[in-house]
């Protein structure tokens, strides 16, 4: 890195939300770094990296303190001379896709977003996901009938009108955990609002295809991600 020629930054957000980034090889991050991006990998509240209470802190608070943790980390890294804060992208998959969509609905500093297999509408996710009940009731505060307003308030779809960032949606067609309808809902909302958005469907691919799916599909995901950031950053 040459501080006289600051590099673009990509914020990578893990899934879970009780996932974590640890000291191991991460294909997405290595591909981005090799292409010349500074990569910021944050373990915000909800991650399984700082104990039980830290991991549970996200329950009932998606888009709350976890969102603030990520933005605080972005502020810190952007204060460094080797980062070009006019060229920031965000990528996330699964819960990371949720948070990527949430961020661009609330913060306008990001020039590109790659949103993989997201949760976009908590209400429809509850009724269609294979973990909608078992996982959703713990994380979202019960059933929709217990607090419909909260389900809507915590859904990135609610804030689609505020999005200014070009969005690339990447989604497996056989995903049962974050069904492809989540990406379809977001795509339609953004398209109808005149936003810059593209949706790429991966046939025959389930939620875990980036870890265990066909190599050609995994390569295509990475190629599409690099192309999008290359175009907009």
């Amino acid at each position: 890195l040459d501080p006289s020629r600051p590099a673009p930054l990509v914020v990578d957000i893990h899934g879970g939300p009780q996932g974590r980034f640890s000291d191991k090889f991460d294909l997405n991050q290595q591909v981005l770094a090799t292409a010349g991006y500074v990569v910021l990998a944050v373990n915000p509240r909800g991650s399984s990296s700082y104990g039980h209470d830290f991991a549970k802190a996200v329950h009932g608070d998606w888009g709350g303190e976890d969102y603030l943790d990520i933005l605080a980390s972005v502020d810190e890294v952007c204060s460094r001379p080797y980062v070009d804060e006019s060229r920031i992208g965000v990528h996330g998959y699964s819960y990371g896709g949720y948070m990527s969509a949430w961020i661009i609905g609330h913060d306008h500093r990001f020039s590109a977003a790659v949103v993989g297999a997201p949760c976009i509408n908590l209400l429809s996710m509850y009724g269609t996901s294979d973990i909608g009940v078992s996982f959703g009731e713990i994380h979202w505060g019960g059933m929709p009938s217990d607090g419909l307003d909260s389900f809507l308030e915590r859904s990135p779809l609610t804030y689609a009108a505020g999005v200014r960032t070009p969005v690339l949606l990447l989604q497996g067609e056989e995903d049962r955990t974050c069904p492809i309808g989540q990406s379809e809902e977001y795509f339609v909302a953004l398209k109808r609002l005149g936003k810059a958005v593209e949706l790429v469907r991966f046939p025959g691919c389930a939620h875990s295809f980036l870890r265990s799916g066909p190599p050609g599909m995994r390569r295509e995901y990475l190629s599409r991600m690099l192309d999008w950031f290359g175009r907009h950053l």
Side-chain angles (χ1 to χ4, degrees):
L1 292 173
D2 180 357
S4 68
R5 298 179 60 193
L9 172 71
V10 174
V11 183
D12 195 27
I13 306 175
H14 66 63
Q18 270 95 30
R20 65 174 176 172
F21 291 129
S22 57
D23 187 14
K24 65 180 182 180
F25 185 89
D26 185 293
L27 186 59
N28 291 343
Q29 293 169 12
Q30 294 293 336
V31 165
L32 288 166
T34 302
Y37 298 98
V38 174
V39 182
L40 172 60
V42 183
N43 285 328
R45 266 167 276 201
S47 306
S48 59
S49 47
Y50 298 105
H52 189 68
D53 291 339
F54 189 86
K56 287 180 62 179
V58 75
H59 291 178
D61 192 39
W62 281 29
E65 298 290 347
D66 48 356
Y67 162 71
L68 297 178
D69 288 344
I70 293 169
L71 290 192
S73 301
V74 172
D75 290 340
E76 167 63 28
V77 172
C78 283
S79 70
R80 301 181 182 186
Y82 53 80
V83 172
D84 183 351
E85 60 182 319
S86 69
R87 294 187 291 161
I88 308 177
V90 61
H91 166 263
Y93 191 88
S94 191
Y95 170 79
Y98 166 92
M99 185 54 66
S100 299
W102 180 268
I103 284 174
I104 60 174
H106 293 80
D107 191 291
H108 304 305
R109 77 183 83 179
F110 295 86
S111 300
V114 177
V115 179
C119 169
I120 293 296
N121 180 352
L122 301 190
L123 187 60
S124 59
M125 176 88 168
Y126 179 86
T128 59
S129 168
D130 60 6
I131 60 169
V133 173
S134 59
F135 171 89
E137 290 185 6
I138 294 171
H139 280 265
W140 308 329
M143 299 183 292
S145 57
D146 297 325
L148 183 59
D149 289 345
S150 177
F151 271 64
L152 297 175
E153 180 186 358
R154 300 286 180 159
S155 295
L157 185 65
T158 301
Y159 307 96
V163 172
R164 302 178 189 172
T165 304
V167 180
L168 174 64
L169 290 156
L170 303 174
Q171 179 80 60
E173 290 188 334
E174 302 304 318
D175 195 330
R176 300 290 182 257
T177 301
C178 295
I180 194 168
Q182 295 294 302
S183 285
E184 291 171 335
E185 286 187 56
Y186 202 43
F187 175 80
V188 170
L190 293 175
K191 196 72 172 176
R192 290 289 292 134
L193 289 165
K195 311 294 184 178
V197 60
E198 293 182 11
L199 168 59
V200 180
R201 306 166 67 101
F202 290 79
C205 289
H207 193 66
S208 61
F209 87 94
L210 288 186
R211 293 192 299 270
S212 57
M217 292 296 185
R218 297 166 71 184
R219 179 187 179 93
E220 187 70 13
Y221 185 102
L222 295 169
S223 296
R224 297 273 184 166
M225 176 181 69
L226 284 176
D227 177 69
W228 194 255
F229 287 138
R231 287 161 59 185
H232 296 286
L233 298 185

